[in-house]
Amino acid sequence: MNTLSLDIRILRTLQSVSETGNVTESARRLGRTQPAITLQLQRLETICGFNLFRSEGRKMILTPDGALVLSYANSILRLHDEMLSRLQSPDVEGQVVLGTPDLYAAFMLPSILALFRQAFPRVQVQLQCSLSTPLVRLVHRGEIDLALVTRMNDFSGGKLVRQEQLIWMTGDNSTAHTENPVPLALLPPGNIYRDHAIECLEAVQHPWRIACVSESVSGLQAAVFSGMAVTVLGRSALVPGMREIVRGPDYPELPKVDLLLYKAPGTKSAAANALHDYLAHYLPLGQGEELIKPMQQKTVLDPDSTIVG
């Protein structure tokens, strides 16, 4: 009989370092010291008998053996957290209004909310989809319970729960990315996705024009699917029918955006607190769409129209 056992905290450390690629950032995220994180990884490597990470510059990359261990760790942690939620949830009931842009409602939240419903069957979640700025006003006024939004330049407060890498996207059979000026499908003025797209193009003096403005991601997708425009969205929104444009002289690398989670001030709702804690736990793990969504083929488009991945 194997007498070895693994501390859940060690598995969570492995999970965090695999995502951040950095002991310092993982220590900040987990609220521990850097030496403590390093010792936990060394302990796990001793138990496993092989290296879990290799270094590429300053970034820690999982080895093939480390990736195998991480797959088991993810399953163990998910079951562990679900069990604790189930034990704590029988008396939690009520309704929670969660505000979020439809981009996150469609591509990031479905599987997390499905798990939440299993753990808290007596809680009803009502989604309210809108742009980030009005949602922050609503949650500050207590008109909605929670808000998951994109950080805008004038936002304050909120809990940083995830970062999304912005990418250039166009349709599978589109040549819009080769047009001059490039036609853009963007969110309305005042949105940081739009600002980053325009700022990056102007920085390299790449002419552009507005081909579509939509408050909804479905409108942007329609413009992209039809081949009439290029858009900028988070990587989680890259779906079949869309391709990523490889960064280059005409399409420089876009930044990451912060996702903030707000809770209405003074809320004492057990249901709202439960959903807030659930989102705060699962969103940083990058386990939104990956939890139950099947793997999808995603292609990458070179600006010269060569498919490279």
Side-chain angles (χ1 to χ4, degrees):
M1 180 178 177
N2 193 337
T3 58
L4 289 174
S5 63
L6 292 173
D7 189 324
I8 285 291
R9 291 172 296 180
I10 292 181
L11 298 183
R12 214 173 295 281
T13 293
L14 171 67
Q15 193 177 61
S16 178
V17 175
S18 72
E19 292 157 9
T20 64
N22 185 286
V23 168
T24 301
E25 175 60 22
S26 291
R28 185 196 65 79
R29 178 186 289 188
L30 297 173
R32 302 190 195 123
T33 65
Q34 293 181 40
I37 297 295
T38 300
L39 285 173
Q40 285 184 325
L41 291 179
Q42 291 173 347
R43 169 63 176 159
L44 186 54
E45 288 184 332
T46 299
I47 292 172
C48 295
F50 46 72
N51 292 330
L52 298 171
F53 292 92
R54 58 183 173 82
S55 297
E56 284 190 6
R58 296 184 178 181
K59 189 173 181 65
M60 298 175 67
I61 306 295
L62 282 169
T63 64
D65 288 330
L68 177 63
V69 174
L70 177 64
S71 69
Y72 284 107
N74 286 338
S75 297
I76 292 168
L77 287 168
R78 178 172 58 82
L79 291 171
H80 170 270
D81 295 339
E82 286 180 18
M83 181 188 73
L84 291 183
S85 293
R86 289 235 175 208
L87 292 175
Q88 297 169 359
S89 68
D91 296 330
V92 178
E93 60 182 343
Q95 178 172 301
V96 184
V97 181
L98 169 62
T100 193
D102 63 345
L103 174 66
Y104 305 141
F107 300 111
M108 196 174 295
L109 291 179
S111 51
I112 297 179
L113 293 179
L115 290 175
F116 180 80
R117 287 189 63 190
Q118 294 174 13
F120 296 87
R122 298 170 66 184
V123 175
Q124 294 83 46
V125 179
Q126 177 183 320
L127 280 176
Q128 182 166 326
C129 293
S130 184
L131 297 177
S132 294
T133 297
L135 287 174
V136 170
R137 289 197 292 264
L138 289 175
V139 77
H140 281 322
R141 294 200 298 258
E143 296 180 29
I144 60 176
D145 299 299
L146 304 173
L148 174 67
V149 299
T150 309
R151 185 200 297 272
M152 302 298 166
N153 292 327
D154 58 345
F155 283 8
S156 61
K159 178 181 178 64
L160 176 62
V161 289
R162 183 162 170 164
Q163 289 188 316
E164 269 280 275
Q165 177 64 55
L166 298 184
I167 61 173
W168 302 99
M169 301 181 189
T170 191
D172 271 348
N173 301 309
S174 173
T175 58
H177 63 291
T178 66
E179 296 181 24
N180 191 9
V182 59
L184 298 176
L186 298 175
L187 293 163
N191 187 279
I192 202 165
Y193 281 47
R194 177 192 179 103
D195 294 345
H196 284 316
I198 293 173
E199 287 169 5
C200 283
L201 290 177
E202 292 192 339
V204 296
Q205 298 183 333
H206 188 167
W208 56 273
R209 65 179 178 85
I210 299 296
C212 170
V213 177
S214 174
E215 292 189 355
S216 167
V217 68
S218 60
L220 303 182
Q221 287 179 320
V224 170
F225 290 149
S226 69
M228 66 179 286
V230 168
T231 193
V232 168
L233 293 171
R235 190 179 296 280
S236 64
L238 184 62
V239 297
M242 303 170 73
R243 293 183 289 186
E244 179 180 355
I245 303 171
V246 177
R247 65 179 183 269
D250 287 336
Y251 292 96
E253 183 174 13
L254 291 155
K256 294 180 180 179
V257 294
D258 293 338
L259 272 64
L260 300 178
L261 181 61
Y262 286 86
K263 182 166 59 174
T267 183
K268 297 181 180 179
S269 165
N273 289 333
L275 181 56
H276 176 276
D277 293 346
Y278 220 79
L279 293 172
H281 172 72
Y282 276 107
L283 284 166
L285 303 181
Q287 289 185 344
E289 64 280 359
E290 294 88 350
L291 286 172
I292 58 177
K293 181 178 178 180
M295 186 74 70
Q296 294 178 328
Q297 179 69 25
K298 297 180 180 179
T299 56
V300 181
L301 184 67
D302 184 272
D304 296 324
S305 298
T306 303
I307 298 175
V308 297

